[in-house]
Amino acid sequence: MSAQELSERLLGALIGAAELFTVELGRELGLYAALRDHPLDAAALAKTAGIDERYAREWLEQQAAAGFLVVTGDGFALADGVTEVLLDEGGPDFLGTAGEFAVGLGLLTPRVIEAFRTGEGVGYADYGRHIRHGIASFNRPMFANMLATEWLPALPEVDARLRSSAQVLDLGCGVGHSSVAIALAYPTATVRGVDLDEASIEEARRTAAAAGVADRVTFTLGDAAEVEGRYDLVTIFEALHDMGDPVGVLAAARAALAPGGSVFIADERVADEFTAPAGEIERLQYAFSVLHCLPATRAENPVIANGTILRAPTLLEWSRAAGFNTPEVLPLPNDFWRFYHLH
């Protein structure tokens, strides 16, 4: 890459980052939602959203310049695709979380810089609601649209077991979208979610109540390496790489399995070996590792601080160390995750 090419790349990244912040501003203030049904001018948007008119005009013009809005005879309207991508949370095209991620990472970057100097970590809870909601919102469409139609049916024995009053343990459940999706897909299953983050557990309980499955889905604040009970299925969705004792967690999951039970894992789809330069998805995951996943894991006094980049050979090695003799990589297509079945 030449100096000019690098300069152009960084300029493009700066434009993109700045626009992500304006997207999050629009979502946080409800500006896209206010424009959902009909065009508005600055005065009408200010009145509808309860913001200052001068700021409203600047944001509207900036969004139109960026292509997120279009100018009409009545003011400004959402451009094609904006509703699906920025407003329809849970829909298959939703990526409104991108702005949340940008804000959350930016707010904590000074802490990460200091952590690089001291070797200490930055606790997951310290990253706050932007990262917590960003992760949840990014993954929610996959849980809602793929978990019960593509992922679990790929394991016929597991799918059949879930249809017969199964007990499920969802480790690293976050705000509960995975646990709720399992319960909705399998009406006789009982699901227990476990997570170390208190704010996530509190929100997960609200998630289950809102979905009408709180009678079958419960959430516990706790360490995934110290689980109790017997379960037909243990799931770990994009969380193993963040756990400070991944082998201990997998060993605990194995000990918690009922006869014939198994573990289903989804984690990052990255190359089996370090390669540079890498593709866009791996570049994104490495950036998250530097800015969030590694600092958050280092805050746990970990046995292993893996970071975001969890390669398939590493996960399979951990699985064997935990007592799973025949862990397998599943041939499920996904741009972001690779899937594993341990039994």
Side-chain angles (χ1 to χ4, degrees):
M1 183 184 301
S2 69
Q4 181 177 352
E5 289 171 333
L6 177 57
S7 177
E8 291 174 352
R9 174 173 163 179
L10 292 181
L11 177 60
L14 175 60
I15 294 168
E19 289 182 345
L20 280 178
F21 287 125
T22 69
V23 166
E24 183 57 16
L25 186 154
R27 282 177 14 94
E28 182 83 13
L29 293 173
L31 307 186
Y32 295 113
L35 290 162
R36 182 169 194 148
D37 296 325
H38 48 77
L40 297 173
D41 61 16
L45 178 62
K47 182 177 180 179
T48 302
I51 64 171
D52 177 80
E53 182 176 341
R54 177 65 185 88
Y55 281 121
R57 175 159 59 88
E58 199 73 7
W59 182 83
L60 286 167
E61 292 180 0
Q62 176 271 325
Q63 291 284 290
F68 299 124
L69 302 182
V70 294
V71 181
T72 73
D74 298 316
F76 296 81
L78 300 180
D80 290 344
V82 170
T83 296
E84 294 82 357
V85 174
L86 296 182
L87 289 175
D88 291 349
E89 190 165 347
D93 298 314
F94 181 78
L95 198 58
T97 183
E100 282 187 300
F101 276 143
V103 172
L105 294 174
L107 287 172
L108 269 291
T109 296
R111 290 277 304 277
V112 173
I113 291 171
E114 186 59 25
F116 265 65
R117 294 191 175 107
T118 65
E120 297 178 353
V122 180
Y124 178 85
D126 294 343
Y127 282 88
R129 66 180 179 87
H130 291 101
I131 292 297
R132 184 171 69 251
H133 288 168
I135 293 171
S137 296
F138 186 88
N139 294 338
R140 182 181 177 186
M142 292 193 288
F143 294 138
N145 297 285
M146 300 177 190
L147 187 145
T149 61
E150 299 178 22
W151 302 348
L152 293 176
L155 299 169
E157 291 183 4
V158 172
D159 184 64
R161 194 161 181 153
L162 288 170
R163 299 184 186 281
S164 180
S165 303
Q167 300 288 321
V168 180
L169 178 64
D170 188 17
L171 296 177
C173 64
V175 305
H177 291 308
S178 52
S179 305
V180 167
I182 293 170
L184 290 174
Y186 300 96
T188 61
T190 300
V191 186
R192 178 189 174 203
V194 176
D195 202 281
L196 273 175
D197 182 55
E198 185 173 1
S200 293
I201 289 296
E202 291 175 356
E203 189 163 344
R205 290 170 178 152
R206 295 193 293 271
T207 301
V213 293
D215 60 326
R216 293 187 293 115
V217 181
T218 59
F219 295 98
T220 302
L221 180 67
D223 190 333
E226 300 175 0
V227 297
E228 299 177 351
R230 287 291 179 269
Y231 301 91
D232 299 286
L233 178 68
V234 177
T235 58
I236 309 174
F237 293 107
E238 204 194 22
L240 189 63
H241 70 259
D242 286 320
M243 295 176 176
D245 184 11
V247 175
V249 169
L250 293 177
R254 182 171 177 268
L257 291 177
S262 60
V263 178
F264 182 69
I265 299 173
D267 218 294
E268 311 301 0
R269 181 176 290 275
V270 293
D272 286 349
E273 297 179 353
F274 171 71
T275 303
E280 286 188 340
I281 301 301
E282 195 148 337
R283 283 170 45 202
L284 175 66
Q285 291 167 334
Y286 256 121
F288 263 93
S289 194
V290 168
L291 297 172
H292 174 258
C293 292
L294 182 58
T297 307
R298 290 292 293 269
E300 297 180 22
N301 190 28
V303 177
I304 298 172
N306 183 81
T308 311
I309 307 299
L310 178 49
R311 306 190 191 281
T314 301
L315 195 151
L316 295 174
E317 179 185 344
W318 290 350
S319 302
R320 295 186 187 99
F324 293 98
N325 295 325
T326 56
E328 58 180 322
V329 179
L330 300 173
L332 288 168
N334 190 279
D335 290 338
F336 295 97
W337 290 355
R338 183 175 282 115
F339 300 85
Y340 306 82
H341 187 214
L342 316 183
H343 52 95

